[in-house]
Amino acid sequence: MWKHIASNALTFLIVTLFLVGGVIAWGTAEYSAEGPLENAICLKVQSGSNMRLVSEDLAERDAISSPAIFRMGVDYSDKSALLKAGSFLVPAGASMEEIAEIVTRGGQNTCGTEVVYRVAVNRLSAQVRELDPAEGEFEELVRFDIEEGVEAPEDYLRTRQDDDTQYRIVVSEGVTSWQVVQALNALDVLADDATEIPPEGMLAPDSYEVQPGDSVKALLAQMQAKQERILADAWAGRAEGLPLESPEEALILASIIEKEASTSDERFDVASVFVNRLNEGMRLQTDPTVIYGITEGKGVLGRGLRQSELRAATPWNTYVIQGLPETPIANPGRGSIEAALNPSDSDYLFFVAKTLDPRDGHNFAATLDEHNRNVALYRQLEAERDAVQDN
């Protein structure tokens, strides 16, 4: 009898293990299978939420087939404690495994209503936009310039009262440190205004997510730390034989490239011109350094340069001084820093704009005769424009 009982118990255990194994295999397959969501949605995860609440929200919106399997899969993959607050775009057909990755990997929010502040060389603007999950495209609600004494549009003020609104600050390449500080201090989303200007060139132009009440000083520190990393990485991978003795000199050259290059594609050619000039002992003779000597980065000159200014000695005027200026003249982006440290292999010594539209780039030349021909072509375009305007 005992043998019979033992045999039945063993059979029962085998069947149970088989069934459990089958359930686990089915659950695993269900967790990684294509989900039931027919159209993309914007999933908002509140601060302090948990996987149970998220799974229930997903189930109510027909994004997952089983909240229990979702939670077990998240637990099994050790992601339960990695849930991030924010608004996340969940694409149609996303598996539970893919959704778990979306809500735990962090990074920038990918949907919802967003206010984007843009810090450019000559303007500070705000854009309110909202992502349409079904189309996967942002719809602009309002865009305006932020000016002292000018009231913001109603759409913006209403958005600022919404706790779910996300905020991002985009700092353009070529903006000076003074301009960055003035812009950040003017934003009502930030607090703890900065009173000191960070070193020129040491703020990384980029896109930064912020929260209402974040400190201007803390954001500036984040930007500076990022620029330090970019510069260190680029310096470590620099080409051999450059006429640059330190990362600081590379940053100075990169800032000049940033102000002179009209397109991202020509940065490396512009860099080669200045590197070749430094190697030849020629003066750099670049207008942006003269302008910086006049403004010292505080605002925009807003007019053409005078001959007296081209001849005036300042620590930045490369028509007068030999070699590099004493400091950067703006905050260069990663592309210009990399160009300064890995320029094109060329014999170019000169460049001049191709057309009256600076976005069209430059004509480069290795000899003065070739450069003079390029300059003559540009002067002809100026004369034709002036003739049209006179008529």
Side-chain angles (χ1 to χ4, degrees):
M1 182 181 75
W2 293 110
K3 289 183 179 180
H4 181 70
I5 293 174
S7 176
N8 288 341
L10 180 61
T11 301
F12 178 77
L13 178 61
I14 292 172
V15 171
T16 300
L17 291 174
F18 178 79
L19 291 175
V20 170
V23 170
I24 292 175
W26 172 80
T28 301
E30 189 74 6
Y31 183 67
S32 59
E34 181 177 339
L37 189 62
E38 295 183 358
N39 297 300
I41 61 171
C42 186
L43 177 68
K44 293 184 179 181
V45 179
Q46 303 291 343
S47 179
S49 186
N50 55 52
M51 284 298 180
R52 176 174 292 278
L53 294 175
V54 170
S55 66
E56 291 171 355
D57 186 13
L58 289 167
E60 288 177 3
R61 303 175 70 176
D62 295 326
I64 59 175
S65 57
S66 170
I69 292 177
F70 178 82
R71 292 194 296 272
M72 285 188 289
V74 171
D75 287 339
Y76 182 76
S77 56
D78 293 327
K79 291 184 176 180
S80 292
L82 302 179
L83 181 64
K84 302 295 190 299
S87 296
F88 306 102
L89 180 65
V90 179
S95 68
M96 287 185 268
E97 184 177 24
E98 291 169 338
I99 296 174
E101 172 65 19
I102 289 171
V103 299
T104 59
R105 67 188 172 205
Q108 292 187 348
N109 290 297
T110 54
C111 65
T113 302
E114 180 182 58
V115 176
V116 182
Y117 300 102
R118 302 186 187 278
V119 181
V121 172
N122 57 0
R123 68 188 301 191
L124 172 62
S125 64
Q127 176 194 35
V128 181
R129 62 183 195 171
E130 187 171 31
L131 182 71
D132 180 351
E135 298 295 329
E137 296 180 354
F138 277 100
E139 176 187 359
E140 182 175 289
L141 304 180
V142 64
R143 181 193 294 261
F144 64 98
D145 288 342
I146 298 175
E147 300 176 275
E148 188 174 356
V150 178
E151 188 174 349
E154 184 62 31
D155 284 343
Y156 169 77
L157 297 175
R158 185 170 54 252
T159 301
R160 287 283 285 112
Q161 297 173 358
D162 188 347
D163 293 338
D164 292 332
T165 299
Q166 303 141 41
Y167 299 89
R168 189 156 51 88
I169 297 174
V170 178
V171 178
S172 300
E173 298 163 336
V175 177
T176 67
S177 293
W178 181 89
Q179 290 170 329
V180 172
V181 170
Q182 298 306 304
L184 297 185
N185 284 347
L187 297 181
D188 59 2
V189 73
L190 298 178
D192 190 21
D193 289 356
T195 56
E196 296 183 4
I197 308 298
E200 192 67 85
M202 284 307 300
L203 301 178
D206 207 341
S207 175
Y208 298 88
E209 276 201 2
V210 297
Q211 299 294 327
D214 280 357
S215 164
V216 171
K217 295 177 183 178
L219 179 56
L220 290 171
Q222 180 185 350
M223 296 171 65
Q224 188 165 343
K226 183 165 190 173
Q227 191 77 317
E228 289 172 352
R229 292 193 299 270
I230 292 172
L231 183 58
D233 290 345
W235 180 257
R238 67 190 183 278
E240 296 181 357
L242 294 175
L244 303 171
E245 296 183 359
S246 66
E248 291 73 25
E249 287 193 353
L251 192 66
I252 294 171
L253 178 56
S255 71
I256 297 174
I257 296 166
E258 192 66 73
K259 301 299 283 188
E260 284 284 19
S262 299
T263 67
S264 58
D265 293 340
E266 70 174 15
R267 285 192 180 115
F268 295 89
D269 286 339
V270 171
S272 73
V273 170
F274 293 131
V275 167
N276 291 339
R277 280 179 166 255
L278 289 171
N279 283 329
E280 293 286 336
M282 298 173 62
R283 290 175 178 166
L284 298 185
Q285 296 184 326
T286 169
D287 288 358
T289 62
V290 182
I291 294 172
Y292 193 86
I294 299 169
T295 66
E296 296 190 10
K298 299 177 181 178
V300 179
L301 184 61
R303 59 170 175 79
L305 286 169
R306 304 181 180 118
Q307 285 298 317
S308 60
E309 293 167 335
L310 291 171
R311 296 190 297 268
T314 74
W316 297 276
N317 186 351
T318 53
Y319 283 90
V320 175
I321 64 173
Q322 198 74 30
L324 294 166
E326 67 173 17
T327 72
I329 61 172
N331 289 289
R334 184 191 299 270
S336 292
I337 293 174
E338 292 176 347
L341 290 167
N342 286 278
S344 298
D345 182 12
S346 81
D347 54 1
Y348 295 144
L349 290 171
F350 309 93
F351 61 89
V352 66
K354 288 181 180 179
T355 71
L356 300 179
D357 187 342
R359 294 172 295 183
D360 291 335
H362 295 85
N363 284 318
F364 294 85
T367 67
L368 184 57
D369 286 344
E370 185 182 1
H371 176 60
N372 286 337
R373 288 194 293 271
N374 291 336
V375 171
L377 291 173
Y378 182 77
R379 298 300 182 206
Q380 182 179 347
L381 293 174
E382 287 185 317
E384 292 172 354
R385 177 200 61 194
D386 294 342
V388 171
Q389 291 177 346
D390 290 341
N391 292 333

